[in-house]
Amino acid sequence: MAAMRTLRLRCFGPAAAQEGDVFDARSTHILVEDRADGTLVCCYRLMLLDGGSLNQSYAAQFYGLGTLAAFKGRMLELGRFCVAPDRPDPDILRIAWAVMTDFVDREQIHLLFGCASFAGVDTAVHLDAFALLRARHLAPERWSPQVTAPEVFRYAARLRRKPDLRKGWAGMPPLLRTYLMMGGWVSDHAVVDHAMNTLHVFTGLEIAAIPDRRKSLLRALV
């Protein structure tokens, strides 16, 4: 666990590198190591939930999830996902998602969700990405999380610009980009998290919406 905390420190800063929190204690932790030298290159945690226990999730600290309480099926919260900054190998991300896919299959998960973060709290840096989210990837109204955090950027209501698709896609964090490629959706606002120095959006992925070909590719890696 020491290696996990060190990697979190490198990726998120001191706020995420503490000894552990109540969410760590409730979660299954996935560690991806380099076989050559045993170095930890990726880690994340997974917490099993359902509509009745959503208020125990990490995301519930920042978003009103009452609408999702009616979702039928088991849920899985993905948290503290980080990849070593000096290891920009796309295979690491693919392996991490393949392991997660195996977990989803075994536990019969219907909804994967979490918080996807943009670096920094300056919204101006990410306007093309937010415009693209507004145009193409907002949550269905019946599942849309409500505003509860004290400071948010209501990008869906405020932005009127047409997104630059190239800049918007390039500006998406890798984790969020993967969610969206599989059919994921996001909240209509971003939470300004000064403690973590990030802007994050709630992200949901209904497992039934993932294209069969992509599911097959991920399962083949396990």
Side-chain angles (χ1 to χ4, degrees):
M1 299 297 276
M4 181 183 73
R5 289 192 293 273
T6 298
L7 183 54
R8 285 182 179 178
L9 176 63
R10 295 177 63 196
C11 294
F12 300 122
Q18 56 190 324
E19 186 66 22
D21 58 24
V22 64
F23 306 105
D24 274 344
R26 297 173 185 163
S27 300
T28 297
H29 295 269
I30 307 298
L31 310 179
V32 180
E33 297 179 342
D34 187 330
R35 284 184 175 179
D37 57 13
T39 301
L40 182 66
V41 295
C42 175
C43 63
Y44 56 91
R45 67 187 181 196
L46 300 170
M47 182 161 50
L48 289 166
L49 298 155
D50 57 28
S53 58
L54 268 178
N55 63 343
Q56 299 175 27
S57 67
Y58 176 84
Q61 299 178 106
F62 306 100
Y63 302 91
L65 303 180
T67 54
L68 279 170
F71 187 90
K72 302 299 183 184
R74 303 187 82 192
M75 305 181 194
L76 185 66
E77 183 176 41
L78 166 64
R80 290 290 190 263
F81 190 103
C82 51
V83 176
D86 58 345
R87 298 293 186 100
D89 185 344
D91 281 342
I92 294 174
L93 199 58
R94 281 193 283 269
I95 291 169
W97 275 94
V99 174
M100 196 185 317
T101 299
D102 182 61
F103 191 98
V104 165
D105 285 344
R106 285 188 286 108
E107 296 294 338
Q108 298 183 321
I109 302 301
H110 291 80
L111 177 71
L112 176 69
F113 72 90
C115 301
S117 299
F118 292 82
V121 295
D122 183 359
T123 58
V125 176
H126 306 293
L127 290 183
D128 282 304
F130 282 124
L132 181 54
L133 292 178
R134 177 186 182 276
R136 297 191 174 185
H137 300 291
L138 290 181
E141 186 175 352
R142 67 185 183 280
W143 306 135
S144 186
Q146 304 304 302
V147 174
T148 59
E151 187 176 356
V152 301
F153 174 45
R154 298 174 185 260
Y155 68 88
R158 292 180 56 183
L159 294 182
R160 291 294 179 266
R161 64 194 286 159
K162 184 177 180 180
D164 181 311
L165 299 183
R166 183 183 61 81
K167 290 182 179 179
W169 193 247
M172 292 290 177
L175 176 61
L176 179 54
R177 193 182 303 138
T178 305
Y179 265 116
L180 300 178
M181 288 172 62
M182 291 194 288
W185 41 257
V186 298
S187 56
D188 61 6
H189 61 284
V191 171
V192 182
D193 190 337
H194 290 284
M196 297 286 288
N197 191 33
T198 63
L199 298 161
H200 59 73
V201 291
F202 181 92
T203 307
L205 175 62
E206 296 173 61
I207 304 305
I210 302 175
D212 289 338
R213 182 174 181 276
R214 188 164 292 277
K215 287 180 183 177
S216 297
L217 289 172
L218 289 171
R219 287 170 178 149
L221 293 172
V222 180

